[in-house]
mmCIF file of all heavy atoms in Angstrom:
data_model
loop_
_atom_site.group_PDB
_atom_site.id
_atom_site.type_symbol
_atom_site.label_atom_id
_atom_site.label_comp_id
_atom_site.label_asym_id
_atom_site.label_seq_id
_atom_site.Cartn_x
_atom_site.Cartn_y
_atom_site.Cartn_z
ATOM 1 N N ILE A 778 -60.939 -42.037 87.756
ATOM 2 C CA ILE A 778 -59.849 -42.804 88.246
ATOM 3 C C ILE A 778 -60.200 -44.281 88.068
ATOM 4 O O ILE A 778 -61.278 -44.737 88.434
ATOM 5 C CB ILE A 778 -59.541 -42.472 89.744
ATOM 6 C CG1 ILE A 778 -59.209 -41.018 89.916
ATOM 7 C CG2 ILE A 778 -58.488 -43.398 90.308
ATOM 8 C CD1 ILE A 778 -57.943 -40.568 89.268
ATOM 9 N N GLU A 779 -59.240 -45.037 87.441
ATOM 10 C CA GLU A 779 -59.522 -46.412 87.208
ATOM 11 C C GLU A 779 -58.628 -47.382 87.995
ATOM 12 O O GLU A 779 -58.944 -48.573 88.130
ATOM 13 C CB GLU A 779 -59.414 -46.716 85.718
ATOM 14 C CG GLU A 779 -60.376 -45.803 84.941
ATOM 15 C CD GLU A 779 -60.636 -46.307 83.559
ATOM 16 O OE1 GLU A 779 -60.603 -47.549 83.333
ATOM 17 O OE2 GLU A 779 -60.950 -45.447 82.676
ATOM 18 N N ARG A 780 -57.480 -46.896 88.480
ATOM 19 C CA ARG A 780 -56.553 -47.728 89.191
ATOM 20 C C ARG A 780 -56.012 -46.892 90.395
ATOM 21 O O ARG A 780 -55.650 -45.805 90.250
ATOM 22 C CB ARG A 780 -55.347 -48.156 88.347
ATOM 23 C CG ARG A 780 -55.697 -49.155 87.316
ATOM 24 C CD ARG A 780 -54.360 -49.504 86.643
ATOM 25 N NE ARG A 780 -54.521 -50.494 85.582
ATOM 26 C CZ ARG A 780 -53.548 -50.984 84.878
ATOM 27 N NH1 ARG A 780 -52.298 -50.569 85.019
ATOM 28 N NH2 ARG A 780 -53.764 -51.908 83.976
ATOM 29 N N ILE A 781 -55.985 -47.574 91.496
ATOM 30 C CA ILE A 781 -55.391 -47.056 92.754
ATOM 31 C C ILE A 781 -54.296 -47.911 93.308
ATOM 32 O O ILE A 781 -54.549 -49.107 93.500
ATOM 33 C CB ILE A 781 -56.509 -46.755 93.804
ATOM 34 C CG1 ILE A 781 -57.644 -45.988 93.234
ATOM 35 C CG2 ILE A 781 -55.911 -46.099 95.049
ATOM 36 C CD1 ILE A 781 -58.873 -45.945 94.207
ATOM 37 N N LYS A 782 -53.140 -47.351 93.467
ATOM 38 C CA LYS A 782 -52.021 -48.125 94.085
ATOM 39 C C LYS A 782 -51.525 -47.372 95.296
ATOM 40 O O LYS A 782 -51.851 -46.113 95.388
ATOM 41 C CB LYS A 782 -50.829 -48.221 93.108
ATOM 42 C CG LYS A 782 -51.153 -49.125 91.923
ATOM 43 C CD LYS A 782 -49.898 -49.189 90.966
ATOM 44 C CE LYS A 782 -50.258 -50.120 89.843
ATOM 45 N NZ LYS A 782 -49.214 -50.077 88.796
ATOM 46 N N PHE A 783 -50.770 -47.965 96.184
ATOM 47 C CA PHE A 783 -50.183 -47.214 97.302
ATOM 48 C C PHE A 783 -48.859 -47.818 97.653
ATOM 49 O O PHE A 783 -48.717 -49.043 97.687
ATOM 50 C CB PHE A 783 -51.138 -47.199 98.523
ATOM 51 C CG PHE A 783 -51.763 -48.488 98.900
ATOM 52 C CD1 PHE A 783 -51.108 -49.344 99.799
ATOM 53 C CD2 PHE A 783 -52.939 -48.968 98.332
ATOM 54 C CE1 PHE A 783 -51.639 -50.612 100.128
ATOM 55 C CE2 PHE A 783 -53.515 -50.204 98.682
ATOM 56 C CZ PHE A 783 -52.832 -51.018 99.553
ATOM 57 N N VAL A 784 -47.868 -46.918 97.858
ATOM 58 C CA VAL A 784 -46.508 -47.395 98.287
ATOM 59 C C VAL A 784 -45.943 -46.384 99.341
ATOM 60 O O VAL A 784 -46.319 -45.222 99.237
ATOM 61 C CB VAL A 784 -45.622 -47.486 97.066
ATOM 62 C CG1 VAL A 784 -45.929 -48.614 96.172
ATOM 63 C CG2 VAL A 784 -45.502 -46.177 96.304
ATOM 64 N N THR A 785 -45.047 -46.775 100.210
ATOM 65 C CA THR A 785 -44.523 -48.060 100.432
ATOM 66 C C THR A 785 -45.109 -48.658 101.750
ATOM 67 O O THR A 785 -45.307 -47.859 102.642
ATOM 68 C CB THR A 785 -42.980 -47.969 100.625
ATOM 69 O OG1 THR A 785 -42.451 -47.215 99.526
ATOM 70 C CG2 THR A 785 -42.308 -49.321 100.643
ATOM 71 N N ASN A 786 -45.287 -49.901 101.810
ATOM 72 C CA ASN A 786 -46.014 -50.524 102.935
ATOM 73 C C ASN A 786 -45.037 -51.026 104.029
ATOM 74 O O ASN A 786 -43.948 -51.466 103.695
ATOM 75 C CB ASN A 786 -46.844 -51.678 102.476
ATOM 76 C CG ASN A 786 -47.988 -51.167 101.627
ATOM 77 O OD1 ASN A 786 -48.965 -50.654 102.061
ATOM 78 N ND2 ASN A 786 -47.877 -51.360 100.325
ATOM 79 N N TYR A 787 -45.521 -50.954 105.247
ATOM 80 C CA TYR A 787 -44.779 -51.489 106.388
ATOM 81 C C TYR A 787 -45.380 -52.770 106.779
ATOM 82 O O TYR A 787 -46.571 -52.909 106.976
ATOM 83 C CB TYR A 787 -44.875 -50.448 107.468
ATOM 84 C CG TYR A 787 -44.110 -50.785 108.772
ATOM 85 C CD1 TYR A 787 -42.777 -50.932 108.728
ATOM 86 C CD2 TYR A 787 -44.764 -51.046 109.948
ATOM 87 C CE1 TYR A 787 -42.030 -51.202 109.815
ATOM 88 C CE2 TYR A 787 -44.038 -51.314 111.113
ATOM 89 C CZ TYR A 787 -42.701 -51.484 111.016
ATOM 90 O OH TYR A 787 -41.969 -51.777 112.154
ATOM 91 N N PRO A 788 -44.521 -53.915 106.848
ATOM 92 C CA PRO A 788 -45.084 -55.234 107.071
ATOM 93 C C PRO A 788 -46.062 -55.395 108.209
ATOM 94 O O PRO A 788 -47.098 -56.043 108.090
ATOM 95 C CB PRO A 788 -43.820 -56.095 107.273
ATOM 96 C CG PRO A 788 -42.717 -55.327 106.581
ATOM 97 C CD PRO A 788 -43.053 -53.900 106.681
ATOM 98 N N LYS A 789 -45.753 -54.700 109.292
ATOM 99 C CA LYS A 789 -46.595 -54.932 110.484
ATOM 100 C C LYS A 789 -47.993 -54.340 110.334
ATOM 101 O O LYS A 789 -48.915 -54.671 111.037
ATOM 102 C CB LYS A 789 -45.927 -54.169 111.665
ATOM 103 C CG LYS A 789 -44.789 -54.887 112.307
ATOM 104 C CD LYS A 789 -45.195 -56.027 113.156
ATOM 105 C CE LYS A 789 -45.416 -55.631 114.637
ATOM 106 N NZ LYS A 789 -45.547 -56.798 115.476
ATOM 107 N N ASP A 790 -48.180 -53.404 109.400
ATOM 108 C CA ASP A 790 -49.456 -52.711 109.242
ATOM 109 C C ASP A 790 -50.197 -53.254 108.023
ATOM 110 O O ASP A 790 -51.127 -52.553 107.558
ATOM 111 C CB ASP A 790 -49.264 -51.233 109.186
ATOM 112 C CG ASP A 790 -48.815 -50.666 110.501
ATOM 113 O OD1 ASP A 790 -49.297 -51.187 111.542
ATOM 114 O OD2 ASP A 790 -48.014 -49.662 110.524
ATOM 115 N N MET A 791 -49.899 -54.377 107.507
ATOM 116 C CA MET A 791 -50.619 -54.946 106.339
ATOM 117 C C MET A 791 -51.762 -55.716 106.921
ATOM 118 O O MET A 791 -51.851 -56.951 106.984
ATOM 119 C CB MET A 791 -49.676 -55.872 105.601
ATOM 120 C CG MET A 791 -50.167 -56.190 104.220
ATOM 121 S SD MET A 791 -50.543 -54.666 103.301
ATOM 122 C CE MET A 791 -49.120 -54.456 102.338
ATOM 123 N N THR A 792 -52.774 -54.966 107.379
ATOM 124 C CA THR A 792 -53.863 -55.535 108.213
ATOM 125 C C THR A 792 -54.946 -56.114 107.339
ATOM 126 O O THR A 792 -55.087 -55.789 106.135
ATOM 127 C CB THR A 792 -54.449 -54.481 109.090
ATOM 128 O OG1 THR A 792 -54.720 -53.331 108.319
ATOM 129 C CG2 THR A 792 -53.554 -54.087 110.229
ATOM 130 N N ARG A 793 -55.823 -56.980 107.937
ATOM 131 C CA ARG A 793 -56.907 -57.621 107.279
ATOM 132 C C ARG A 793 -57.871 -56.627 106.615
ATOM 133 O O ARG A 793 -58.282 -56.812 105.504
ATOM 134 C CB ARG A 793 -57.623 -58.494 108.330
ATOM 135 C CG ARG A 793 -58.304 -59.707 107.788
ATOM 136 C CD ARG A 793 -58.523 -60.734 108.923
ATOM 137 N NE ARG A 793 -57.627 -61.754 108.837
ATOM 138 C CZ ARG A 793 -57.683 -62.788 108.037
ATOM 139 N NH1 ARG A 793 -58.727 -62.912 107.188
ATOM 140 N NH2 ARG A 793 -56.766 -63.750 107.956
ATOM 141 N N ASP A 794 -58.198 -55.581 107.352
ATOM 142 C CA ASP A 794 -59.183 -54.568 106.803
ATOM 143 C C ASP A 794 -58.651 -53.925 105.530
ATOM 144 O O ASP A 794 -59.366 -53.765 104.580
ATOM 145 C CB ASP A 794 -59.512 -53.512 107.877
ATOM 146 C CG ASP A 794 -58.317 -52.557 108.170
ATOM 147 O OD1 ASP A 794 -57.305 -53.108 108.763
ATOM 148 O OD2 ASP A 794 -58.346 -51.450 107.784
ATOM 149 N N LEU A 795 -57.331 -53.742 105.485
ATOM 150 C CA LEU A 795 -56.758 -53.127 104.305
ATOM 151 C C LEU A 795 -56.772 -54.083 103.174
ATOM 152 O O LEU A 795 -57.234 -53.774 101.986
ATOM 153 C CB LEU A 795 -55.300 -52.700 104.575
ATOM 154 C CG LEU A 795 -54.506 -52.120 103.404
ATOM 155 C CD1 LEU A 795 -55.232 -50.878 102.848
ATOM 156 C CD2 LEU A 795 -53.073 -51.794 103.806
ATOM 157 N N LEU A 796 -56.403 -55.369 103.373
ATOM 158 C CA LEU A 796 -56.360 -56.358 102.325
ATOM 159 C C LEU A 796 -57.764 -56.606 101.851
ATOM 160 O O LEU A 796 -58.010 -56.783 100.606
ATOM 161 C CB LEU A 796 -55.729 -57.616 102.802
ATOM 162 C CG LEU A 796 -54.191 -57.542 103.195
ATOM 163 C CD1 LEU A 796 -53.716 -58.731 103.939
ATOM 164 C CD2 LEU A 796 -53.406 -57.281 101.887
ATOM 165 N N GLU A 797 -58.732 -56.630 102.724
ATOM 166 C CA GLU A 797 -60.116 -56.864 102.266
ATOM 167 C C GLU A 797 -60.607 -55.698 101.470
ATOM 168 O O GLU A 797 -61.338 -55.870 100.541
ATOM 169 C CB GLU A 797 -61.037 -57.104 103.514
ATOM 170 C CG GLU A 797 -60.750 -58.536 104.034
ATOM 171 C CD GLU A 797 -61.426 -58.801 105.424
ATOM 172 O OE1 GLU A 797 -62.019 -57.963 105.958
ATOM 173 O OE2 GLU A 797 -61.220 -59.964 105.835
ATOM 174 N N ALA A 798 -60.172 -54.460 101.829
ATOM 175 C CA ALA A 798 -60.589 -53.309 100.982
ATOM 176 C C ALA A 798 -60.050 -53.420 99.624
ATOM 177 O O ALA A 798 -60.779 -53.261 98.610
ATOM 178 C CB ALA A 798 -60.116 -52.045 101.695
ATOM 179 N N VAL A 799 -58.779 -53.800 99.492
ATOM 180 C CA VAL A 799 -58.145 -53.951 98.167
ATOM 181 C C VAL A 799 -58.906 -55.078 97.387
ATOM 182 O O VAL A 799 -59.152 -54.922 96.207
ATOM 183 C CB VAL A 799 -56.648 -54.274 98.270
ATOM 184 C CG1 VAL A 799 -56.038 -54.583 96.862
ATOM 185 C CG2 VAL A 799 -55.950 -53.076 98.885
ATOM 186 N N ARG A 800 -59.236 -56.184 98.062
ATOM 187 C CA ARG A 800 -59.959 -57.256 97.354
ATOM 188 C C ARG A 800 -61.309 -56.810 96.892
ATOM 189 O O ARG A 800 -61.732 -57.140 95.800
ATOM 190 C CB ARG A 800 -60.158 -58.387 98.404
ATOM 191 C CG ARG A 800 -60.938 -59.591 97.818
ATOM 192 C CD ARG A 800 -61.336 -60.533 98.930
ATOM 193 N NE ARG A 800 -62.312 -59.839 99.823
ATOM 194 C CZ ARG A 800 -62.648 -60.342 101.012
ATOM 195 N NH1 ARG A 800 -62.150 -61.461 101.474
ATOM 196 N NH2 ARG A 800 -63.483 -59.680 101.782
ATOM 197 N N ASP A 801 -62.007 -56.009 97.705
ATOM 198 C CA ASP A 801 -63.385 -55.657 97.396
ATOM 199 C C ASP A 801 -63.615 -54.413 96.532
ATOM 200 O O ASP A 801 -64.698 -54.215 95.960
ATOM 201 C CB ASP A 801 -64.222 -55.480 98.710
ATOM 202 C CG ASP A 801 -64.194 -56.756 99.529
ATOM 203 O OD1 ASP A 801 -63.969 -57.835 98.910
ATOM 204 O OD2 ASP A 801 -64.421 -56.703 100.764
ATOM 205 N N LEU A 802 -62.617 -53.581 96.487
ATOM 206 C CA LEU A 802 -62.766 -52.321 95.722
ATOM 207 C C LEU A 802 -62.149 -52.536 94.294
ATOM 208 O O LEU A 802 -61.004 -52.776 94.162
ATOM 209 C CB LEU A 802 -62.064 -51.200 96.456
ATOM 210 C CG LEU A 802 -62.634 -50.792 97.819
ATOM 211 C CD1 LEU A 802 -61.670 -49.876 98.585
ATOM 212 C CD2 LEU A 802 -64.029 -50.190 97.732
ATOM 213 N N PRO A 803 -63.037 -52.428 93.296
ATOM 214 C CA PRO A 803 -62.541 -52.779 91.963
ATOM 215 C C PRO A 803 -61.414 -51.980 91.428
ATOM 216 O O PRO A 803 -60.614 -52.461 90.571
ATOM 217 C CB PRO A 803 -63.802 -52.606 91.080
ATOM 218 C CG PRO A 803 -64.814 -51.873 91.915
ATOM 219 C CD PRO A 803 -64.447 -52.086 93.352
ATOM 220 N N LYS A 804 -61.217 -50.748 91.910
ATOM 221 C CA LYS A 804 -60.183 -49.920 91.354
ATOM 222 C C LYS A 804 -58.823 -50.133 92.017
ATOM 223 O O LYS A 804 -57.784 -49.688 91.509
ATOM 224 C CB LYS A 804 -60.558 -48.409 91.506
ATOM 225 C CG LYS A 804 -61.750 -48.023 90.610
ATOM 226 C CD LYS A 804 -62.105 -46.596 90.728
ATOM 227 C CE LYS A 804 -63.304 -46.295 89.883
ATOM 228 N NZ LYS A 804 -63.747 -44.840 90.063
ATOM 229 N N CYS A 805 -58.784 -50.828 93.148
ATOM 230 C CA CYS A 805 -57.512 -50.986 93.867
ATOM 231 C C CYS A 805 -56.720 -52.146 93.177
ATOM 232 O O CYS A 805 -57.172 -53.224 92.968
ATOM 233 C CB CYS A 805 -57.772 -51.390 95.313
ATOM 234 S SG CYS A 805 -58.389 -49.994 96.272
ATOM 235 N N SER A 806 -55.448 -51.799 92.862
ATOM 236 C CA SER A 806 -54.558 -52.808 92.252
ATOM 237 C C SER A 806 -54.115 -53.813 93.232
ATOM 238 O O SER A 806 -53.666 -53.454 94.334
ATOM 239 C CB SER A 806 -53.359 -52.040 91.629
ATOM 240 O OG SER A 806 -53.773 -51.216 90.580
ATOM 241 N N PRO A 807 -54.167 -55.084 92.870
ATOM 242 C CA PRO A 807 -53.722 -56.121 93.806
ATOM 243 C C PRO A 807 -52.188 -56.291 93.807
ATOM 244 O O PRO A 807 -51.615 -57.311 93.394
ATOM 245 C CB PRO A 807 -54.356 -57.398 93.278
ATOM 246 C CG PRO A 807 -54.612 -57.112 91.869
ATOM 247 C CD PRO A 807 -54.693 -55.694 91.634
#
Side-chain angles (χ1 to χ4, degrees):
I778 298 298
E779 304 198 27
R780 287 183 180 181
I781 305 169
K782 293 180 178 169
F783 48 89
V784 291
T785 308
N786 293 281
Y787 182 62
K789 283 283 268 192
D790 291 325
M791 199 50 100
T792 48
R793 210 160 255 282
D794 67 293
L795 177 59
L796 293 169
E797 287 171 355
V799 173
R800 179 194 64 194
D801 299 338
L802 297 168
K804 294 181 181 174
C805 289
S806 295

